[in-house]
Amino acid sequence: MHPVKLIAVFAENQLGQMARITKKLADIHANIRWVTIVTSETLGVIKFLVDKPDLAYESLHAKGYTVSYIEILAIAVEDKPGGLNAVAECLARNNINVENASGFVSDNQAVLLIEVANAAAARATLANQSLRLLSEEEIFNL
Amino acid sequence: MFWNQATETIDRGSLGALQLKRLQETVARVAGAVPFYRQAFTERGLTPAHIKSLSDARHLPFTTSADLRATYPTGLLAVPIDETLRLHTSSGTTGKPKALFFSARDVANAAELCARCFVMTGMTKKDIFQNMMTYGLFTGALVTHYGAEKLGCLVIPAGPGNSEKQLLLMQDFRSTTIHITPSYALYFATFLEKKGVDPRRDLAIRRAFVGAEPYTEETRCKIEQALGVRVFNSYGLSEMNGPGVAFECEHQHGMHLWEDNYLMEIVNPKTGEPLPDGQTGELVLTTLYREAMPLLRYRTRDITSIIAEPCACGRTHRRIDRITGRADDMLIVRGVNIYPQQIERVLMSLPAVGRNYQILLDGLDDMTVNVELAEAGFDGHVEHLTKLQADITDRLRAEILTKPKVHLVPPGTLPVSEGKAQRVIDRRSL
């Protein structure tokens, strides 16, 4: 099971930047499953979940972009009231501090993507819990 | 190793006597041949006979950059123009250039001084010298070119820029020594990284002569690490023949200045008052052995100090410290005096910071420092970038006593320079 990772791009906040970067991803036929842009004053980081992370990394890097992987946890959430709460309770019980989080729903599957300080350790901790962690393959096949 | 051991290790007494003899000859010659100096002597009631000791040099008039422009093109020539062999100019950012003439002896002598400098770093005729400085009116490349030829090295007159070609030359001809500006050296290191070239494994370069722009010890370390070379600091200025005025020996601690050719003084940059050895001020140089265009007490505007202690290498010519700034580069921001090198020192000491930066002055007195992140400094988290930005701001404020705006930018996004870098852009509407 491959852990899920995001591609993060450090990009200057300028007109057309998003268009240029997504064009590179389109050129390699990478399918973007999820995206977020984080800005802080003049700093901007675009994070993608794509189905070809390594190819996307290489291709952006070759074009001179500053790229990094971010390993994350993709947690399956029941698509019903209380679904997210059950996950949050479990993370809290296990002392897992969430640095960034976002979620999406695909068909009837809700997914919570979380960034934590140490993804590998968090994954090990959660292995014995009732939560289901999605692999890279599962995410792309949703 | 020495190129000219007798002169390089001459005892201080004999060196002083040689300097005085040459100073007296120089003063007598310009009094006769250069109306500009003749007039200045008359105004001061000075004749060549007044120069009885080296300390009398302080009575001589200064020569400034403005004087060179005012007497442009031939006003400071001490020989008929058909006795000259070569013209170089020093570009100013504004106005007329400065014209510098070399006689046949001056060309040969400038090469001799460069040969001394090169041998001082361990270079031999077996070395292959790739000269990545600008050829042409600028002295940087031609003067060192002649010096390396004099030493008997294979010289590759590559000139600056065109990094692909530079790399090809290095690979095919196994260049061992390069001559380069610090800004281009940093850019070239990034270029090699992108190409996947490890200079230690793939190239033969082991030594770099780095000059033409002031740079810091931190930048030296970055260049040494990134290019796998030992960096030797080179000091020169076109007005004094260009490179070869002062150079680091193998001990890499201060630059030996060839005192048989130049009389050096350190003065207070504001008042012109001479300062004792060890104190920091403006370097003032008098040519002692220049034929075509002798200059008396030239105000270099470069800020440094004299290291008078003997050097382990055995050379008796005193050293000057790394240039900490140019008097002309000093910025006044919100009433505070700042040298760009202070900013560079802070930036280059941080591993997460890359190799390029830019200082922008805007509006009334707003300072923005654009800083490239190191390639390895990005882990995907904007929070870490924000933290680094705040850290740089704090460190800069501690150094320059005013708080700049700091913008981190991705590596490779600031304008690059393959010649002299323009680090400061002043757009203030003061």
Side-chain angles (χ1 to χ4, degrees), chain B residues 1-61:
Chain B
M1 277 200 304
F2 297 94
W3 172 255
N4 181 344
Q5 187 164 6
T7 306
E8 292 175 46
T9 61
I10 185 171
D11 70 274
R12 294 290 309 173
S14 309
L15 179 57
L18 177 65
Q19 285 187 302
L20 179 59
K21 178 174 155 280
R22 288 181 166 182
L23 178 66
Q24 288 167 332
E25 284 166 5
T26 299
V27 170
R29 256 172 23 82
V30 298
V34 184
F36 170 85
Y37 283 121
R38 193 161 52 232
Q39 191 190 335
F41 291 172
T42 309
E43 281 165 14
R44 286 156 189 260
L46 196 69
T47 66
H50 286 102
I51 306 301
K52 294 192 169 63
S53 72
L54 286 175
S55 61
D56 290 331
R58 67 175 58 199
H59 304 304
L60 294 169

Side-chain angles (χ1 to χ4, degrees), chain A residues 9-140:
Chain A
V9 188
F10 179 21
E12 284 176 295
N13 192 0
Q14 48 177 240
L15 191 68
Q17 188 70 270
M18 182 76 170
R20 279 188 290 277
I21 293 172
T22 49
K23 175 76 170 66
K24 302 285 174 289
L25 297 177
D27 288 346
I28 57 160
H29 304 288
N31 192 19
I32 301 168
R33 302 308 310 262
W34 173 91
V35 65
T36 185
I37 301 180
V38 195
T39 58
S40 170
E41 293 172 46
T42 59
L43 296 168
V45 174
I46 309 177
K47 299 178 192 176
F48 296 101
L49 178 64
V50 292
D51 62 353
K52 295 171 183 162
D54 295 330
L55 189 58
Y57 181 103
E58 286 308 322
S59 142
L60 288 167
H61 189 252
K63 294 284 179 216
Y65 286 97
T66 303
V67 197
S68 176
Y69 290 119
I70 301 179
E71 198 179 325
I72 56 166
L73 301 184
I75 305 170
V77 181
E78 280 191 275
D79 189 11
K80 66 172 195 191
L84 183 57
N85 178 250
V87 172
E89 297 276 358
C90 178
L91 293 173
R93 268 198 313 277
N94 288 284
N95 293 317
I96 295 173
N97 188 31
V98 176
E99 293 183 345
N100 282 305
S102 64
F104 62 91
V105 180
S106 175
D107 293 331
N108 291 318
Q109 180 63 66
V111 180
L112 179 69
L113 302 179
I114 63 171
E115 289 175 30
V116 296
N118 184 340
R123 206 169 30 248
T125 308
L126 293 176
N128 307 320
Q129 301 294 320
S130 53
L131 294 183
R132 190 163 74 87
L133 297 182
L134 300 174
S135 70
E136 205 172 42
E137 297 78 5
E138 287 172 299
I139 281 276
F140 299 150

Side-chain angles (χ1 to χ4, degrees), chain B residues 59-77:
Chain B
H59 304 304
L60 294 169
F62 286 121
T63 310
T64 64
S65 174
D67 295 330
L68 261 73
R69 292 183 208 287
T71 55
Y72 176 89
T74 56
L76 290 176
L77 257 186

Side-chain angles (χ1 to χ4, degrees), chain B residues 66-136:
Chain B
D67 295 330
L68 261 73
R69 292 183 208 287
T71 55
Y72 176 89
T74 56
L76 290 176
L77 257 186
V79 297
I81 198 156
D82 55 3
E83 292 297 315
T84 61
L85 207 63
R86 194 198 291 169
L87 171 73
H88 280 292
T89 66
S90 175
S91 58
T93 40
T94 53
K96 288 179 194 166
K98 292 167 261 181
L100 290 312
F101 292 92
F102 290 61
S103 70
R105 191 183 83 180
D106 294 336
V107 168
N109 190 50
E112 150 81 18
L113 297 184
C114 282
R116 286 189 204 168
C117 294
F118 297 165
V119 172
M120 185 155 66
T121 70
M123 188 174 176
T124 70
K125 74 184 290 280
K126 290 187 178 157
D127 279 294
I128 295 171
F129 181 62
Q130 186 160 331
N131 202 348
M132 299 164 75
M133 283 283 175
T134 304
Y135 277 81

